[in-house]
């Protein structure tokens, strides 16, 4: 599942951009009920297609969160080193606080992911009863 926007540091360091990026990646979950209701889920093929889309979407979202957290951790490490050099630098202190808050917001997306996955898998299991979804359950 390709997104229109590339994930890059600018996306990670602007939480509004990051949320919009994640929203794009969550489209498969947002419309699963309508799509499953309008498709014959009696065949393994239809369920398999949905399962593949969900798996790819989950992997892409995990990668996005991991990538942004890694960038933020690296940035925080640099800022903390600067602060060690000049402990009275208010701008650096403020920058660290801002970045830590942003990092926490991105990290919280993991909890959002858990909720979305749980709901999506519940719908999927209702429609595709015989399909094994254990690889997506955490």
């Amino acid at each position: 599942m390709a997104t229109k926007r590339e994930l890059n540091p600018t996306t990670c360091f602007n939480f509004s951009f990051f949320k919009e990026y994640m929203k794009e990646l969550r489209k498969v979950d947002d419309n699963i009920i309508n799509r499953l209701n309008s498709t014959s889920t009696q065949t393994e093929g239809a369920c398999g297609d949905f399962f593949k889309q969900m798996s790819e979407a989950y992997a892409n979202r995990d990668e996005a969160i991991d990538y942004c957290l890694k960038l933020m951790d690296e940035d925080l490490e640099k800022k903390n080193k600067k602060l060690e050099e000049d402990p009275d630098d208010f701008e650096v202190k403020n920058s660290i606080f801002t970045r830590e808050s942003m990092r926490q917001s991105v990290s919280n997306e993991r909890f959002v992911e858990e909720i979305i996955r749980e709901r999506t898998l519940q719908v999927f299991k209702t429609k595709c009863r015989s399909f094994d979804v254990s690889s997506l359950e955490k």
Side-chain angles (χ1 to χ4, degrees):
M1 175 175 184
T3 59
K4 295 173 188 165
R5 206 177 304 173
E6 286 289 318
L7 183 62
N8 59 49
T10 302
T11 305
C12 292
F13 290 114
N14 182 321
F15 192 64
S16 295
F17 289 170
F18 180 75
K19 290 287 285 184
E20 191 63 33
Y21 183 82
M22 294 300 287
K23 184 177 176 182
E24 282 183 36
L25 293 178
R26 290 179 174 140
K27 283 183 180 178
V28 70
D29 297 87
D30 292 341
N31 62 22
I32 189 168
I33 293 172
N34 294 337
R35 291 181 57 214
L36 284 172
N37 284 338
S38 66
T39 303
S40 171
T41 54
Q42 303 302 317
T43 65
E44 282 287 315
C47 290
D49 289 344
F50 281 108
F51 185 79
K52 182 179 179 208
Q53 290 173 16
M54 289 180 349
S55 298
E56 289 173 0
Y58 293 173
N60 287 338
R61 295 190 314 240
D62 283 341
E63 287 173 14
I65 293 168
D66 290 344
Y67 172 76
C68 288
L69 289 175
K70 180 180 178 234
L71 285 179
M72 290 179 177
D73 287 343
E74 290 169 355
D75 187 58
L76 279 167
E77 190 176 315
K78 289 177 191 172
K79 290 179 187 306
N80 280 315
K81 283 182 183 177
K82 267 188 174 178
L83 189 60
E84 286 175 13
E85 294 168 10
D86 184 3
D88 297 324
D89 190 334
F90 180 75
E91 276 189 44
V92 174
K93 285 180 181 180
N94 191 35
S95 172
I96 289 172
F97 176 76
T98 302
R99 188 67 78 223
E100 286 174 340
S101 297
M102 191 180 309
R103 188 199 183 286
Q104 185 61 44
S105 295
V106 171
S107 182
N108 286 341
E109 287 298 305
R110 292 230 186 268
F111 299 113
V112 174
E113 275 301 299
E114 287 179 27
I115 293 166
I116 290 171
R117 286 181 190 199
E118 184 179 307
R119 290 179 181 170
T120 302
L121 286 172
Q122 184 177 9
V123 170
F124 183 82
K125 288 191 276 188
T126 301
K127 295 291 185 176
C128 298
R129 288 186 176 103
S130 64
F131 204 87
D132 178 24
V133 297
S134 59
S135 65
L136 292 183
E137 296 176 316
K138 288 190 172 188

